[in-house]
Amino acid sequence: MVWEEFTKIFTEMNWVVIILLVAGIVFCIIEGIVPGFGIWGIIGILCEIAGIVMHAIYSASPWQVFFLILIMTLATVLLFLIFVFSAKHGILGSTPLVENKPAVPYDYGVDKNFIKLIGKRGVVVDECRPVGKIKIEGRVMDALSTGNIIEKDSVVRVVKIKDNILYIEKFEGDK
């Protein structure tokens, strides 16, 4: 009885239902390929639901409707998993459709003039505990000590710059 209902899904399906279900799957595939808001996926799912409702009206068999819901749910989930896996590891991930770069460039907000300060020496104006102020090339700037507290009037050297923050260490050489 149940097996007969399952086979009737494929043998006695109306052509309108077939068109709606195929269109639903095609729109879900388009959603997986085309980046954007998700309108194609919404249309696809609505087509699948409309196809199932139409089949329920035409067949009047609760078993057929149940099997059709199960089949379409599995197909949609399977498509989703294929696209997620493909975007991360497969052929879709190597296409320009999948953006692997961040929206903001890595050096966004970095002052290019700070880069030239690496290795330069300055004098501590306000004690660094670990944050303080240094005078370097005639400008007073905020700095962060990479080690212990650095006293006022100590000579320091800029060792790195990250996110526009000067990282300094006490200079152990001649002034």
Side-chain angles (χ1 to χ4, degrees), residues 77-126:
V77 169
L78 184 64
L79 277 174
F80 176 77
L81 292 176
I82 288 170
F83 279 114
V84 167
F85 181 78
S86 180
K88 289 183 180 179
H89 307 289
I91 196 166
L92 190 61
S94 61
T95 63
L97 294 173
V98 178
E99 185 86 24
N100 290 328
K101 294 182 276 186
V104 177
Y106 291 111
D107 61 349
Y108 179 77
V110 174
D111 187 349
K112 304 294 186 220
N113 295 324
F114 278 11
I115 302 296
K116 68 180 183 181
L117 296 176
I118 295 176
K120 301 273 179 155
R121 293 182 214 143
V123 178
V124 176
V125 176
D126 188 18

Side-chain angles (χ1 to χ4, degrees), residues 18 26 29 36 62 65-66 70 72 83 87 93 97 100 103 107 121 127 133 140 147:
I18 293 171
V26 168
I29 290 171
V65 173
F66 171 75
L70 185 65
M72 294 311 292
F83 279 114
L97 294 173
N100 290 328
D107 61 349
R121 293 182 214 143
E127 191 172 60
K133 294 192 181 291
V140 176

Side-chain angles (χ1 to χ4, degrees), residues 30-57:
I30 292 171
E31 172 64 29
I33 294 173
V34 176
F37 171 69
I39 192 72
W40 297 111
I42 293 170
I43 293 171
I45 291 173
L46 289 176
C47 283
E48 289 176 5
I49 290 171
I52 292 170
V53 169
M54 293 293 288
H55 186 72
I57 292 169

